[in-house]
Amino acid sequence: MTSKKQLKLRIRARMAKTGESYTAARRHVVDRPEPATDGAWTFHGGRHPGSAAIAGVLANGGVPVGEPMVFLAGGGIGAGYILWEFKHDGSRHLTLGFRNQWQYHDRWTAKALDRLGVGFTAHTTSGAKGASAALAAELDAGRPCIVLPDRYRVGYWGLPESLDGHGGHPVVVYRSDGGDVLVDDRGTAPIRVPRTRMDAARARVPSYKNVLHVLDPAPIDAGRLASAALEGLRDAAEHLSAASGSFSLPAWRKWSRMTVDRRNAKGWPKVFADGRGLAGALLSMWEGVEPVGADGGNLRDLFADGLEEAGALLDLPLAGLAEEFRRIHGLWHGLAEAAFPLDVPEFARMRALTARIRESLLAEGTAGGGAGADAGTAAAGAGGTAAGEDPRATAGGAGAVMPQDAADGAAELRELREAVDRASPVGDHEALFADLSTRLAEIHRAESEAVAALRDLVRERGRG
């Protein structure tokens, strides 16, 4: 076995076992990894899509502001819980929000950049042609763009069709190449996407309005960083102190109650009375909570890193709070492990497949190696509607934008998810739900106390 293949397997095994992101797992396995490049573009990895995208564009523009500080400037962590039920196939899916204003990408991006003092232009339009032209013009001018494609339609994650139109996360499109655009999505290699596919993915969710951000990187001094950190901390404390049961800390208390509520139509004992769809919901829970997921996980560790940086900038005693949020990150990890444990063979295989897809895509990208890349590019360049433009073809067959290894893994994962959704491998549902409820209640208490302490600290600091 070659050393490269051994390395890939070690990274995948660590991701599947610990739930770590590709960036973190690679850092643990590879001693001081060198930054990867594609021409003039350097890949910096990252955890949370939005903050990693901004930090990556700034770093490539000569402004080295770390992801934790960008994340903190945007208001840090958030909270949100939604359980989706799909009648057409009986599947269930959890949407979890862990970032401040997690449901409003454009608002979060604008306030993070404003606080950092980074100039930017935001393009929005309901017309796909205009959006495509704006992206092409910016790339032709050599300006990388942060865009928001639908995760299913963009094709390279190999998601089930039930998630078509359920949104996505920001990525950096940093260059065009013929009929393709090249994407940085926190990996170490370019992800090649046919331009027509990217246009369709950006247009899929009407409320996104084909949003596109172009940054104007300029030096950020320590005073500006300190101001951004303080405003972000105040925002976090205020936002998480709100009473909303959907978009603030009470969401965790609501979720805790729903897991054991036998009367509410959205209570887990009712929704999963026959076990159908439970395994898929638990998979989406594991992916949502753990950094291995596409949105970066619960983000409490990233917030802790930001608190440590902010403490030094602001001369505030934040080290203890940083340590507490690292402990809370561990509580979330414990919740994910309880929900989707490795000792259930089907779950262990699904975790391994998830890690395989992520590692293959983020390590290899699709430049020159994607299944059917030439066919997809040719069709896009000719303005056709070949399989390269159909996201349902991405997990295998002509025009796929995924690496073949990832495509094969995605196909197996979808088949396995469908099978366990029909017949749950979980034995005692009642015991599982009770355990999850207890763990969520503990998380809610811990985060409420930590946020109260943060609120007291920033309240003492004057606004001058």
Side-chain angles (χ1 to χ4, degrees):
M1 183 182 295
T2 65
S3 58
K4 180 179 179 181
K5 188 167 185 179
Q6 289 175 330
L7 178 65
K8 290 172 68 66
L9 292 176
R10 287 174 62 198
I11 292 174
R12 292 180 186 184
R14 185 176 179 95
M15 291 169 71
K17 181 178 180 180
T18 67
E20 288 176 341
S21 68
Y22 166 71
T23 300
R26 180 172 180 261
R27 187 169 57 245
H28 279 102
V29 172
V30 181
D31 185 31
R32 293 188 296 275
E34 291 293 324
T37 61
D38 176 35
W41 185 262
T42 298
F43 296 94
H44 293 276
R47 285 173 274 184
H48 170 251
S51 51
I54 292 174
V57 172
L58 291 178
N60 275 278
V63 183
V65 178
E67 184 188 358
M69 186 53 59
V70 174
F71 183 70
L72 187 59
I77 56 175
Y81 160 78
I82 300 174
L83 173 61
W84 299 96
E85 299 178 66
F86 301 112
K87 301 298 184 184
H88 68 282
D89 63 359
S91 65
R92 310 287 187 266
H93 186 86
L94 285 180
T95 294
L96 302 175
F98 288 107
R99 185 209 71 199
N100 179 285
Q101 286 193 306
W102 57 271
Q103 71 276 36
Y104 297 119
H105 159 74
D106 51 345
R107 298 182 194 178
W108 180 88
T109 301
K111 70 179 179 181
L113 294 173
D114 283 339
R115 288 169 182 166
L116 290 168
V118 176
F120 67 94
T121 301
H123 296 275
T124 57
T125 176
S126 58
K129 288 185 178 180
S132 179
L135 176 61
E138 296 293 353
L139 294 177
D140 288 346
R143 291 187 286 266
C145 301
I146 299 176
V147 300
L148 187 59
D150 178 74
R151 197 175 289 145
Y152 170 79
R153 288 275 165 173
V154 80
Y156 56 78
W157 289 106
L159 298 177
E161 191 174 359
S162 61
L163 295 181
D164 183 10
H166 277 256
H169 59 261
V171 300
V172 180
V173 177
Y174 63 90
R175 183 162 60 86
S176 61
D177 182 21
D180 299 339
V181 294
L182 301 182
V183 173
D184 180 351
D185 195 352
R186 297 161 292 159
T188 56
I191 298 172
R192 181 180 293 270
V193 179
R195 185 186 298 270
T196 51
R197 182 187 297 246
M198 178 60 75
D199 292 343
R202 293 177 60 207
R204 177 62 182 87
V205 181
S207 62
Y208 287 176
K209 296 182 179 179
N210 294 284
V211 65
L212 177 154
H213 287 89
V214 181
L215 277 52
D216 183 18
I220 304 173
D221 61 31
R224 187 76 194 209
L225 279 180
S227 174
L230 185 57
E231 287 303 304
L233 289 172
R234 287 181 176 137
D235 187 2
E238 179 181 355
H239 179 73
L240 292 170
S241 299
S244 173
S246 298
F247 304 115
S248 190
L249 285 186
W252 305 147
R253 183 174 58 203
K254 172 185 174 181
W255 185 10
S256 173
R257 292 171 177 171
M258 286 295 102
T259 58
V260 292
D261 192 328
R262 296 181 176 277
R263 296 183 178 181
N264 195 299
K266 281 290 188 179
W268 284 36
K270 277 189 171 292
V271 173
F272 302 110
D274 60 0
R276 289 178 59 84
L278 175 59
L282 295 175
L283 170 62
S284 63
M285 179 176 169
W286 180 73
E287 289 180 322
V289 169
E290 296 285 50
V292 71
D295 286 316
N298 67 79
L299 303 174
R300 274 50 186 167
D301 56 338
L302 181 58
F303 188 55
D305 290 347
L307 286 172
E308 287 190 344
E309 291 189 28
L313 280 170
L314 298 168
D315 193 24
L316 279 175
L318 296 174
L321 266 182
E323 187 63 28
E324 175 61 6
F325 275 105
R326 294 193 198 285
R327 186 184 76 85
I328 292 171
H329 175 73
L331 295 180
W332 280 109
H333 174 68
L335 175 75
E337 286 295 312
F340 210 66
L342 283 168
D343 60 9
V344 177
E346 296 89 343
F347 291 173
R349 181 57 181 163
M350 293 167 83
R351 287 171 62 153
L353 289 169
T354 300
R356 171 180 167 183
I357 296 163
R358 302 290 195 269
E359 188 280 334
S360 179
L361 175 69
L362 299 179
E364 301 172 20
T366 59
D374 293 338
T377 300
T385 56
E389 298 178 40
D390 182 359
R392 287 170 294 187
T394 60
V401 297
M402 299 179 74
Q404 191 62 58
D405 188 34
D408 293 342
E412 183 182 344
L413 180 59
R414 284 199 306 277
E415 290 176 1
L416 181 54
R417 176 172 180 163
E418 290 173 2
V420 295
D421 267 348
R422 289 191 297 268
S424 172
V426 178
D428 190 341
H429 293 177
E430 184 174 349
L432 171 63
F433 295 166
D435 184 29
L436 298 182
S437 179
T438 299
R439 291 174 182 273
L440 285 163
E442 181 183 3
I443 288 170
H444 176 254
R445 285 193 298 271
E447 293 201 349
S448 296
E449 292 172 0
V451 168
L454 174 63
R455 187 171 60 247
D456 290 343
L457 277 174
V458 297
R459 185 179 292 159
E460 294 174 3
R461 175 59 62 94
R463 291 184 177 272

